[in-house]
Amino acid sequence: MNLDSISRERLDYVLCRMPKAELHIHIEGSLEPELIFKLAGRNNIELPYRSIDELRAAYAFTDLQSFLDVYYAGAGVLRTEEDFFDMAWSYLARAKSQHVIHSEIFFDPQTHTARGVPFETVISGLDRAVRRGEGQGVSASLILCFLRHLSEEDAFATLEEALPFRDKFIGVGLDSSERGNPPEKFARVIARCRALGLRLVAHAGEEGSAEYISGALDLLGAERIDHGVHCLDDPDLVARLARERIPLTVCPLSNVKLAVFPRLADHNIGKLLAAGIVATVNSDDPAYFGGYLNENFTAIFAALPELGAKEAYQLACNSFKASFVEEGIKQAWIGELDEFFGAV
Ligand code: ADE
Ligand code: ZN
């Protein structure tokens, strides 16, 4: 495999066609304005926007919280099992078209149960889409996220509601407003999840400091860090992430839309890879941040001259290694990736 022979012009083709996994996608963040209007119509919900364009115009975020306010409001159109199925199926169809052969999908049950939508409605719709994907060559699994702006007690209650459906999700995560809601706030509920055999991830170091990343590792036992871009502020932490091979699920377009970095050209993913960290590329909330996985790949590679074919291979390979599937499946997917790069 001679990666140096792949030209810049050919790189976009390679990025878009290579097999890869997506490990950081909030399914509610895949709700496109068109689907928001369709579901609002189906459920007789009046939206505070007159048109799809007017809704899209509201997607001008200044930080994480300004985004979350719009994102939670958008999720208000989801009411029935069919709504959750349609949302997840449209993401999986898009993922398939972008050669994403596996995805680990976050969902935020508290956003829905707080509005009176039963947990069972949420998970049944999502699970039906996941199983339909399996039948069509798209692998996916679900990760339940606790909202960190809510209490740990609320997270415990959500876990109880989820347990009858334990076979339908593989792990838990922490998302929503990071600053002021440190990992230790959820140490007890995450310890219970660990005892139940659930896989553990956590958003950390998106807007929060490197300390939130160390906290997620030491106090929660997180196996993967979502975002984690602020790790570079702590050289010891960088060395640890590399040594212990703790993956980071990085989301370039999200980071610019939410002002974590002023421009894509300022993004640190090239430095993370150079430091030996198992970084991956992901879309976070594709309907809100200007693109799905391929758009994230092509935009960040266009912005950073240090990213070439070698890094494309590395990032795709990392996405499989960082996934929660069994080792034999990882190796089979890496074999597919090698075959792809061998033929370009
Ligand atoms: N929920 C959806 N997107 C998120 C993000 N980027 N950070 C924290 N919580 C989120
Ligand atoms: Zn996220």
Side-chain angles (χ1 to χ4, degrees), residues 24-26 106 175-176 203 206 226-227 251 254 284-285 289:
H24 183 162
I25 153 81
H26 301 263
F106 297 149
D175 66 0
S176 193
H203 281 55
E206 177 186 18
D226 297 312
H227 294 292
C251 308
S254 163
D284 205 7
D285 299 285
F289 298 150

Side-chain angles (χ1 to χ4, degrees), residues 262-337:
R263 302 168 311 157
L264 272 180
D266 302 308
H267 202 285
N268 66 10
I269 192 165
K271 295 191 183 78
L272 298 173
L273 286 174
I277 289 178
V278 185
T280 62
V281 170
N282 305 270
S283 69
D284 205 7
D285 299 285
Y288 292 93
F289 298 150
Y292 287 76
L293 192 51
N294 282 351
E295 288 78 22
N296 272 271
F297 267 109
T298 54
I300 194 67
F301 273 68
L304 297 180
E306 70 266 36
L307 299 183
K310 180 169 157 279
E311 287 73 23
Y313 176 84
Q314 187 69 61
L315 287 161
C317 191
N318 287 351
S319 74
F320 296 131
K321 287 186 177 157
S323 73
F324 288 143
V325 301
E326 60 188 58
E327 198 52 41
I329 298 177
K330 287 185 191 183
Q331 289 312 321
W333 287 339
I334 293 168
E336 277 184 45
L337 181 66

Side-chain angles (χ1 to χ4, degrees), residues 127-188:
D127 176 63
R128 188 151 62 84
V130 166
R131 281 186 292 106
R132 179 168 172 188
E134 271 163 20
Q136 301 192 18
V138 201
S139 161
S141 42
L142 298 172
I143 295 178
L144 182 165
C145 283
F146 298 119
L147 298 179
R148 64 204 302 160
H149 68 273
L150 300 179
S151 67
E152 188 180 46
E153 198 185 3
D154 205 313
F156 265 117
T158 301
L159 180 61
E160 282 310 312
E161 281 180 286
L163 284 182
F165 308 95
R166 168 70 186 83
D167 60 319
K168 297 190 174 9
F169 58 101
I170 59 163
V172 296
L174 274 189
D175 66 0
S176 193
S177 322
E178 184 179 12
R179 283 205 209 108
N181 296 297
E184 54 266 33
K185 180 175 166 186
F186 295 94
R188 284 154 299 263

Side-chain angles (χ1 to χ4, degrees), residues 110-126:
Q110 289 154 297
T111 303
H112 314 298
T113 52
R115 298 181 288 113
V117 178
F119 185 92
E120 182 171 11
T121 302
V122 178
I123 193 109
S124 301
L126 300 179

